[in-house]
Amino acid sequence: MRGRTLVLAILTAAFAGPAATLAQEGVKDWPCKGQTSDPLTVEAIWGGPLPGGATAAAWESDAEVRAAVVFATEPENAPDTGIARLGELVPNLGVGAAKQARLASVAVGMVERSNILRGFILEGVRNFTLSARILRTAVADNDKAIADLPKEDAAAATRTNLTRVRRSNFMRMDDAEEEAEFLCTRLAYVEKKLRRLTAAVKSHFDAP
């Protein structure tokens, strides 16, 4: 729990650049069951090839689209708030093919922004997972050192000190594992939110 405030602050300020994947960092004990460290794709979120030929450059260079994408994907804005903002954008997108192209660029922008946020979350998962692994080894070493101590009273002070160190390492390990699990829920939430936002965009695609 002690690192939770810091974690949330980092996520809110994220959007700068994706982190390395866990596979590249050698993290094997991936704690986010049902979630992958691979980037999300527009096709997977949209449910097929994206019509309109939109590109990242298209959404970034369109001031109205960019403002809506940024607002909708900000971590502090709930899905319903983002959907409402996207709804405000639709009347300004034009009609026909032009409207569809700009809606498609919204979808591209939201996936790109969500992947940046996921990159920061994955970096946090990586750091906490590695910390937990290191501390798990330290706790095992502490246990062995305590078990190897002689039973004589002369070793009592050493045993007390080692027990104190072991307790500290265990608590830090537990905190790291808890923070990693918390970030896993954030990872799942980002994808769930993105899918809701994308479904809202799709609902306007063929509307007059």
Side-chain angles (χ1 to χ4, degrees):
M1 294 296 291
R2 291 189 289 272
R4 185 65 49 82
T5 301
L6 176 60
V7 169
L8 289 173
I10 290 172
L11 296 185
T12 301
F15 296 128
T21 66
L22 294 178
Q24 290 173 327
E25 296 296 337
V27 176
K28 302 182 187 304
D29 44 347
W30 172 241
C32 303
K33 307 305 179 186
Q35 289 289 317
T36 175
S37 62
D38 296 330
L40 302 174
T41 66
V42 178
E43 292 76 14
I45 299 300
W46 187 266
L50 181 67
T55 64
W59 80 265
E60 289 185 313
S61 61
D62 187 324
E64 287 185 305
V65 166
R66 178 178 175 79
V69 167
V70 169
F71 182 90
T73 54
E74 285 290 351
E76 64 267 27
N77 292 330
D80 287 343
T81 304
I83 289 170
R85 179 65 180 85
L86 294 173
E88 294 171 1
L89 171 70
V90 172
N92 302 326
L93 295 180
V95 296
K99 172 188 174 182
Q100 292 184 340
R102 294 181 78 188
L103 279 172
S105 71
V106 170
V108 170
M110 292 193 304
V111 171
E112 184 174 290
R113 292 266 299 177
S114 296
N115 275 330
I116 292 173
L117 178 56
R118 280 171 54 87
F120 275 84
I121 296 172
L122 289 167
E123 179 72 7
V125 173
R126 180 187 70 87
N127 289 338
F128 284 122
T129 300
L130 287 173
S131 293
R133 183 189 302 164
I134 291 168
L135 289 164
R136 195 176 302 125
T137 300
V139 169
D141 290 343
N142 296 152
D143 286 338
K144 184 177 185 304
I146 293 170
D148 289 344
L149 285 174
K151 304 301 182 182
E152 288 79 5
D153 291 342
T158 302
R159 181 176 292 102
T160 298
N161 289 336
L162 283 173
T163 300
R164 185 181 300 114
V165 170
R166 193 245 187 224
R167 183 182 301 112
S168 174
N169 285 336
F170 183 86
M171 291 177 64
R172 290 163 59 204
M173 179 191 74
D174 190 59
D175 284 347
E177 290 176 343
E178 183 180 329
E179 294 297 351
E181 290 171 2
F182 169 72
L183 287 178
C184 289
T185 67
R186 296 295 301 175
L187 197 65
Y189 172 78
V190 169
E191 181 175 348
K192 182 178 179 180
K193 176 182 175 180
L194 175 61
R195 289 186 180 279
R196 285 196 60 194
L197 294 174
T198 302
V201 170
K202 290 181 70 173
S203 72
H204 295 292
F205 205 79
D206 294 319

mmCIF file of all heavy atoms in Angstrom, residues 7 11 19 22 27 29-32 37 118-132 176-177 179-187:
data_model
loop_
_atom_site.group_PDB
_atom_site.id
_atom_site.type_symbol
_atom_site.label_atom_id
_atom_site.label_comp_id
_atom_site.label_asym_id
_atom_site.label_seq_id
_atom_site.Cartn_x
_atom_site.Cartn_y
_atom_site.Cartn_z
ATOM 1 N N VAL A 7 2.438 5.246 -7.459
ATOM 2 C CA VAL A 7 2.051 4.537 -8.676
ATOM 3 C C VAL A 7 0.987 5.303 -9.435
ATOM 4 O O VAL A 7 1.066 5.506 -10.646
ATOM 5 C CB VAL A 7 1.544 3.115 -8.336
ATOM 6 C CG1 VAL A 7 0.902 2.471 -9.557
ATOM 7 C CG2 VAL A 7 2.693 2.261 -7.838
ATOM 8 N N LEU A 11 1.103 7.006 -13.272
ATOM 9 C CA LEU A 11 0.163 6.661 -14.331
ATOM 10 C C LEU A 11 -0.523 7.898 -14.875
ATOM 11 O O LEU A 11 -0.736 8.039 -16.079
ATOM 12 C CB LEU A 11 -0.885 5.671 -13.805
ATOM 13 C CG LEU A 11 -0.347 4.318 -13.367
ATOM 14 C CD1 LEU A 11 -1.506 3.391 -12.993
ATOM 15 C CD2 LEU A 11 0.502 3.682 -14.448
ATOM 16 N N ALA A 19 7.571 1.669 -22.484
ATOM 17 C CA ALA A 19 8.693 1.002 -21.829
ATOM 18 C C ALA A 19 9.034 -0.286 -22.552
ATOM 19 O O ALA A 19 8.286 -0.773 -23.393
ATOM 20 C CB ALA A 19 8.320 0.690 -20.379
ATOM 21 N N LEU A 22 8.338 -6.897 -20.934
ATOM 22 C CA LEU A 22 8.833 -7.735 -19.849
ATOM 23 C C LEU A 22 9.728 -8.845 -20.384
ATOM 24 O O LEU A 22 10.679 -9.243 -19.734
ATOM 25 C CB LEU A 22 7.652 -8.320 -19.076
ATOM 26 C CG LEU A 22 6.804 -7.288 -18.329
ATOM 27 C CD1 LEU A 22 5.643 -7.978 -17.657
ATOM 28 C CD2 LEU A 22 7.627 -6.553 -17.307
ATOM 29 N N VAL A 27 11.782 -10.838 -17.345
ATOM 30 C CA VAL A 27 10.850 -11.134 -16.263
ATOM 31 C C VAL A 27 10.009 -12.352 -16.661
ATOM 32 O O VAL A 27 9.266 -12.315 -17.629
ATOM 33 C CB VAL A 27 9.931 -9.926 -15.986
ATOM 34 C CG1 VAL A 27 8.897 -10.278 -14.936
ATOM 35 C CG2 VAL A 27 10.761 -8.746 -15.526
ATOM 36 N N ASP A 29 8.171 -14.424 -14.218
ATOM 37 C CA ASP A 29 6.998 -14.667 -13.386
ATOM 38 C C ASP A 29 5.979 -13.550 -13.585
ATOM 39 O O ASP A 29 5.743 -12.722 -12.716
ATOM 40 C CB ASP A 29 7.383 -14.823 -11.911
ATOM 41 C CG ASP A 29 8.398 -13.786 -11.455
ATOM 42 O OD1 ASP A 29 8.984 -13.106 -12.317
ATOM 43 O OD2 ASP A 29 8.603 -13.659 -10.243
ATOM 44 N N TRP A 30 5.399 -13.506 -14.783
ATOM 45 C CA TRP A 30 4.419 -12.496 -15.181
ATOM 46 C C TRP A 30 3.178 -12.617 -14.308
ATOM 47 O O TRP A 30 2.498 -13.632 -14.310
ATOM 48 C CB TRP A 30 4.088 -12.705 -16.649
ATOM 49 C CG TRP A 30 2.967 -11.899 -17.232
ATOM 50 C CD1 TRP A 30 1.820 -12.375 -17.777
ATOM 51 C CD2 TRP A 30 2.916 -10.479 -17.373
ATOM 52 N NE1 TRP A 30 1.048 -11.351 -18.243
ATOM 53 C CE2 TRP A 30 1.689 -10.168 -17.992
ATOM 54 C CE3 TRP A 30 3.776 -9.448 -17.006
ATOM 55 C CZ2 TRP A 30 1.312 -8.867 -18.274
ATOM 56 C CZ3 TRP A 30 3.397 -8.153 -17.295
ATOM 57 C CH2 TRP A 30 2.187 -7.868 -17.913
ATOM 58 N N PRO A 31 2.858 -11.575 -13.545
ATOM 59 C CA PRO A 31 1.770 -11.688 -12.572
ATOM 60 C C PRO A 31 0.385 -11.355 -13.120
ATOM 61 O O PRO A 31 -0.616 -11.604 -12.443
ATOM 62 C CB PRO A 31 2.167 -10.669 -11.501
ATOM 63 C CG PRO A 31 2.870 -9.601 -12.279
ATOM 64 C CD PRO A 31 3.590 -10.321 -13.400
ATOM 65 N N CYS A 32 0.313 -10.774 -14.319
ATOM 66 C CA CYS A 32 -0.974 -10.297 -14.845
ATOM 67 C C CYS A 32 -1.649 -11.385 -15.671
ATOM 68 O O CYS A 32 -1.526 -11.421 -16.904
ATOM 69 C CB CYS A 32 -0.780 -9.037 -15.667
ATOM 70 S SG CYS A 32 0.012 -7.685 -14.765
ATOM 71 N N SER A 37 1.878 -8.479 -22.397
ATOM 72 C CA SER A 37 2.708 -7.276 -22.417
ATOM 73 C C SER A 37 2.859 -6.727 -23.832
ATOM 74 O O SER A 37 3.485 -5.686 -24.025
ATOM 75 C CB SER A 37 4.093 -7.577 -21.829
ATOM 76 O OG SER A 37 4.755 -8.557 -22.605
ATOM 77 N N ARG A 118 -0.080 1.968 -21.207
ATOM 78 C CA ARG A 118 0.246 0.577 -20.885
ATOM 79 C C ARG A 118 1.751 0.399 -20.710
ATOM 80 O O ARG A 118 2.197 -0.379 -19.868
ATOM 81 C CB ARG A 118 -0.278 -0.361 -21.985
ATOM 82 C CG ARG A 118 -1.752 -0.682 -21.881
ATOM 83 C CD ARG A 118 -2.229 -1.429 -23.128
ATOM 84 N NE ARG A 118 -1.432 -2.614 -23.392
ATOM 85 C CZ ARG A 118 -1.654 -3.821 -22.867
ATOM 86 N NH1 ARG A 118 -2.655 -3.999 -22.027
ATOM 87 N NH2 ARG A 118 -0.881 -4.839 -23.183
ATOM 88 N N GLY A 119 2.529 1.124 -21.500
ATOM 89 C CA GLY A 119 3.980 1.023 -21.372
ATOM 90 C C GLY A 119 4.459 1.422 -19.989
ATOM 91 O O GLY A 119 5.338 0.776 -19.405
ATOM 92 N N PHE A 120 3.872 2.479 -19.434
ATOM 93 C CA PHE A 120 4.247 2.903 -18.091
ATOM 94 C C PHE A 120 3.761 1.908 -17.042
ATOM 95 O O PHE A 120 4.465 1.643 -16.059
ATOM 96 C CB PHE A 120 3.692 4.298 -17.800
ATOM 97 C CG PHE A 120 4.583 5.397 -18.287
ATOM 98 C CD1 PHE A 120 4.516 5.820 -19.602
ATOM 99 C CD2 PHE A 120 5.503 5.986 -17.446
ATOM 100 C CE1 PHE A 120 5.349 6.825 -20.064
ATOM 101 C CE2 PHE A 120 6.342 6.992 -17.898
ATOM 102 C CZ PHE A 120 6.267 7.415 -19.215
ATOM 103 N N ILE A 121 2.578 1.376 -17.243
ATOM 104 C CA ILE A 121 2.079 0.368 -16.303
ATOM 105 C C ILE A 121 2.974 -0.863 -16.331
ATOM 106 O O ILE A 121 3.341 -1.411 -15.285
ATOM 107 C CB ILE A 121 0.623 -0.020 -16.645
ATOM 108 C CG1 ILE A 121 -0.307 1.188 -16.474
ATOM 109 C CG2 ILE A 121 0.150 -1.170 -15.758
ATOM 110 C CD1 ILE A 121 -1.722 0.948 -16.963
ATOM 111 N N LEU A 122 3.350 -1.300 -17.521
ATOM 112 C CA LEU A 122 4.216 -2.472 -17.655
ATOM 113 C C LEU A 122 5.584 -2.228 -17.010
ATOM 114 O O LEU A 122 6.168 -3.146 -16.424
ATOM 115 C CB LEU A 122 4.389 -2.833 -19.135
ATOM 116 C CG LEU A 122 3.149 -3.419 -19.805
ATOM 117 C CD1 LEU A 122 3.322 -3.441 -21.319
ATOM 118 C CD2 LEU A 122 2.870 -4.822 -19.287
ATOM 119 N N GLU A 123 6.073 -1.006 -17.113
ATOM 120 C CA GLU A 123 7.345 -0.679 -16.456
ATOM 121 C C GLU A 123 7.212 -0.841 -14.948
ATOM 122 O O GLU A 123 8.114 -1.351 -14.282
ATOM 123 C CB GLU A 123 7.757 0.754 -16.806
ATOM 124 C CG GLU A 123 9.048 1.216 -16.159
ATOM 125 C CD GLU A 123 10.284 0.563 -16.744
ATOM 126 O OE1 GLU A 123 10.171 -0.157 -17.754
ATOM 127 O OE2 GLU A 123 11.378 0.760 -16.175
ATOM 128 N N GLY A 124 6.072 -0.406 -14.414
ATOM 129 C CA GLY A 124 5.836 -0.578 -12.986
ATOM 130 C C GLY A 124 5.728 -2.034 -12.595
ATOM 131 O O GLY A 124 6.288 -2.463 -11.576
ATOM 132 N N VAL A 125 5.009 -2.820 -13.398
ATOM 133 C CA VAL A 125 4.901 -4.255 -13.132
ATOM 134 C C VAL A 125 6.281 -4.892 -13.137
ATOM 135 O O VAL A 125 6.620 -5.694 -12.256
ATOM 136 C CB VAL A 125 3.996 -4.942 -14.178
ATOM 137 C CG1 VAL A 125 4.031 -6.463 -13.999
ATOM 138 C CG2 VAL A 125 2.556 -4.437 -14.062
ATOM 139 N N ARG A 126 7.080 -4.518 -14.128
ATOM 140 C CA ARG A 126 8.440 -5.066 -14.225
ATOM 141 C C ARG A 126 9.250 -4.742 -12.971
ATOM 142 O O ARG A 126 9.884 -5.618 -12.380
ATOM 143 C CB ARG A 126 9.141 -4.486 -15.454
ATOM 144 C CG ARG A 126 10.572 -4.991 -15.638
ATOM 145 C CD ARG A 126 11.263 -4.256 -16.777
ATOM 146 N NE ARG A 126 11.517 -2.881 -16.419
ATOM 147 C CZ ARG A 126 12.598 -2.451 -15.765
ATOM 148 N NH1 ARG A 126 13.514 -3.313 -15.372
ATOM 149 N NH2 ARG A 126 12.754 -1.175 -15.486
ATOM 150 N N ASN A 127 9.219 -3.477 -12.557
ATOM 151 C CA ASN A 127 10.022 -3.066 -11.409
ATOM 152 C C ASN A 127 9.583 -3.756 -10.121
ATOM 153 O O ASN A 127 10.414 -4.238 -9.337
ATOM 154 C CB ASN A 127 9.952 -1.545 -11.242
ATOM 155 C CG ASN A 127 10.717 -0.810 -12.326
ATOM 156 O OD1 ASN A 127 11.613 -1.370 -12.950
ATOM 157 N ND2 ASN A 127 10.365 0.441 -12.564
ATOM 158 N N PHE A 128 8.282 -3.798 -9.880
ATOM 159 C CA PHE A 128 7.791 -4.424 -8.658
ATOM 160 C C PHE A 128 8.013 -5.936 -8.680
ATOM 161 O O PHE A 128 8.302 -6.545 -7.644
ATOM 162 C CB PHE A 128 6.307 -4.102 -8.448
ATOM 163 C CG PHE A 128 6.058 -2.713 -7.954
ATOM 164 C CD1 PHE A 128 5.258 -1.839 -8.677
ATOM 165 C CD2 PHE A 128 6.623 -2.257 -6.769
ATOM 166 C CE1 PHE A 128 5.026 -0.542 -8.227
ATOM 167 C CE2 PHE A 128 6.395 -0.964 -6.312
ATOM 168 C CZ PHE A 128 5.588 -0.109 -7.048
ATOM 169 N N THR A 129 7.869 -6.544 -9.860
ATOM 170 C CA THR A 129 8.078 -7.989 -9.958
ATOM 171 C C THR A 129 9.540 -8.349 -9.697
ATOM 172 O O THR A 129 9.839 -9.316 -8.982
ATOM 173 C CB THR A 129 7.649 -8.510 -11.343
ATOM 174 O OG1 THR A 129 6.258 -8.213 -11.544
ATOM 175 C CG2 THR A 129 7.841 -10.016 -11.458
ATOM 176 N N LEU A 130 10.447 -7.564 -10.271
ATOM 177 C CA LEU A 130 11.869 -7.803 -10.029
ATOM 178 C C LEU A 130 12.220 -7.579 -8.555
ATOM 179 O O LEU A 130 12.986 -8.343 -7.969
ATOM 180 C CB LEU A 130 12.710 -6.890 -10.920
ATOM 181 C CG LEU A 130 12.765 -7.244 -12.406
ATOM 182 C CD1 LEU A 130 13.484 -6.153 -13.190
ATOM 183 C CD2 LEU A 130 13.441 -8.586 -12.630
ATOM 184 N N SER A 131 11.648 -6.535 -7.958
ATOM 185 C CA SER A 131 11.903 -6.275 -6.541
ATOM 186 C C SER A 131 11.428 -7.433 -5.682
ATOM 187 O O SER A 131 12.125 -7.871 -4.758
ATOM 188 C CB SER A 131 11.188 -4.988 -6.114
ATOM 189 O OG SER A 131 11.758 -3.862 -6.750
ATOM 190 N N ALA A 132 10.227 -7.938 -5.990
ATOM 191 C CA ALA A 132 9.684 -9.059 -5.224
ATOM 192 C C ALA A 132 10.566 -10.294 -5.367
ATOM 193 O O ALA A 132 10.801 -11.025 -4.404
ATOM 194 C CB ALA A 132 8.261 -9.364 -5.676
ATOM 195 N N ALA A 176 5.657 -5.269 -2.658
ATOM 196 C CA ALA A 176 5.989 -5.256 -4.083
ATOM 197 C C ALA A 176 5.034 -6.137 -4.874
ATOM 198 O O ALA A 176 4.572 -5.762 -5.965
ATOM 199 C CB ALA A 176 7.435 -5.716 -4.296
ATOM 200 N N GLU A 177 4.724 -7.304 -4.330
ATOM 201 C CA GLU A 177 3.790 -8.197 -5.013
ATOM 202 C C GLU A 177 2.397 -7.573 -5.087
ATOM 203 O O GLU A 177 1.700 -7.686 -6.105
ATOM 204 C CB GLU A 177 3.729 -9.542 -4.292
ATOM 205 C CG GLU A 177 4.996 -10.365 -4.452
ATOM 206 C CD GLU A 177 4.965 -11.648 -3.651
ATOM 207 O OE1 GLU A 177 4.125 -11.750 -2.731
ATOM 208 O OE2 GLU A 177 5.790 -12.542 -3.943
ATOM 209 N N GLU A 179 1.690 -4.340 -5.126
ATOM 210 C CA GLU A 179 1.706 -3.250 -6.098
ATOM 211 C C GLU A 179 1.673 -3.793 -7.531
ATOM 212 O O GLU A 179 1.010 -3.225 -8.402
ATOM 213 C CB GLU A 179 2.943 -2.369 -5.896
ATOM 214 C CG GLU A 179 2.978 -1.612 -4.581
ATOM 215 C CD GLU A 179 1.842 -0.602 -4.444
ATOM 216 O OE1 GLU A 179 1.119 -0.352 -5.425
ATOM 217 O OE2 GLU A 179 1.676 -0.062 -3.338
ATOM 218 N N ALA A 180 2.394 -4.883 -7.781
ATOM 219 C CA ALA A 180 2.366 -5.486 -9.105
ATOM 220 C C ALA A 180 0.959 -5.955 -9.449
ATOM 221 O O ALA A 180 0.467 -5.763 -10.570
ATOM 222 C CB ALA A 180 3.355 -6.656 -9.176
ATOM 223 N N GLU A 181 0.282 -6.573 -8.490
ATOM 224 C CA GLU A 181 -1.085 -7.034 -8.717
ATOM 225 C C GLU A 181 -2.025 -5.862 -8.972
ATOM 226 O O GLU A 181 -2.924 -5.938 -9.809
ATOM 227 C CB GLU A 181 -1.560 -7.853 -7.517
ATOM 228 C CG GLU A 181 -0.856 -9.194 -7.392
ATOM 229 C CD GLU A 181 -1.180 -9.897 -6.078
ATOM 230 O OE1 GLU A 181 -1.990 -9.348 -5.299
ATOM 231 O OE2 GLU A 181 -0.625 -10.984 -5.838
ATOM 232 N N PHE A 182 -1.829 -4.763 -8.235
ATOM 233 C CA PHE A 182 -2.643 -3.575 -8.459
ATOM 234 C C PHE A 182 -2.453 -3.051 -9.877
ATOM 235 O O PHE A 182 -3.420 -2.686 -10.569
ATOM 236 C CB PHE A 182 -2.279 -2.492 -7.445
ATOM 237 C CG PHE A 182 -2.867 -1.147 -7.760
ATOM 238 C CD1 PHE A 182 -4.216 -0.914 -7.600
ATOM 239 C CD2 PHE A 182 -2.056 -0.112 -8.216
ATOM 240 C CE1 PHE A 182 -4.765 0.333 -7.906
ATOM 241 C CE2 PHE A 182 -2.593 1.127 -8.510
ATOM 242 C CZ PHE A 182 -3.949 1.354 -8.355
ATOM 243 N N LEU A 183 -1.207 -2.999 -10.335
ATOM 244 C CA LEU A 183 -0.944 -2.514 -11.686
ATOM 245 C C LEU A 183 -1.536 -3.445 -12.734
ATOM 246 O O LEU A 183 -1.919 -2.997 -13.818
ATOM 247 C CB LEU A 183 0.561 -2.345 -11.896
ATOM 248 C CG LEU A 183 1.181 -1.157 -11.164
ATOM 249 C CD1 LEU A 183 2.688 -1.105 -11.402
ATOM 250 C CD2 LEU A 183 0.539 0.157 -11.600
ATOM 251 N N CYS A 184 -1.630 -4.725 -12.426
ATOM 252 C CA CYS A 184 -2.278 -5.659 -13.352
ATOM 253 C C CYS A 184 -3.740 -5.285 -13.548
ATOM 254 O O CYS A 184 -4.278 -5.383 -14.665
ATOM 255 C CB CYS A 184 -2.177 -7.094 -12.833
ATOM 256 S SG CYS A 184 -0.510 -7.800 -12.912
ATOM 257 N N THR A 185 -4.405 -4.866 -12.475
ATOM 258 C CA THR A 185 -5.804 -4.437 -12.612
ATOM 259 C C THR A 185 -5.879 -3.167 -13.446
ATOM 260 O O THR A 185 -6.831 -2.985 -14.216
ATOM 261 C CB THR A 185 -6.465 -4.206 -11.240
ATOM 262 O OG1 THR A 185 -5.866 -3.082 -10.574
ATOM 263 C CG2 THR A 185 -6.342 -5.437 -10.359
ATOM 264 N N ARG A 186 -4.902 -2.280 -13.316
ATOM 265 C CA ARG A 186 -4.869 -1.075 -14.139
ATOM 266 C C ARG A 186 -4.654 -1.429 -15.605
ATOM 267 O O ARG A 186 -5.243 -0.810 -16.497
ATOM 268 C CB ARG A 186 -3.743 -0.144 -13.671
ATOM 269 C CG ARG A 186 -3.902 0.395 -12.276
ATOM 270 C CD ARG A 186 -5.106 1.299 -12.147
ATOM 271 N NE ARG A 186 -5.049 2.445 -13.040
ATOM 272 C CZ ARG A 186 -6.044 3.324 -13.180
ATOM 273 N NH1 ARG A 186 -7.153 3.171 -12.503
ATOM 274 N NH2 ARG A 186 -5.922 4.345 -14.012
ATOM 275 N N LEU A 187 -3.813 -2.424 -15.856
ATOM 276 C CA LEU A 187 -3.558 -2.858 -17.233
ATOM 277 C C LEU A 187 -4.851 -3.357 -17.870
ATOM 278 O O LEU A 187 -5.178 -3.002 -19.012
ATOM 279 C CB LEU A 187 -2.507 -3.969 -17.223
ATOM 280 C CG LEU A 187 -1.799 -4.287 -18.535
ATOM 281 C CD1 LEU A 187 -0.965 -3.096 -18.984
ATOM 282 C CD2 LEU A 187 -0.922 -5.516 -18.373
#
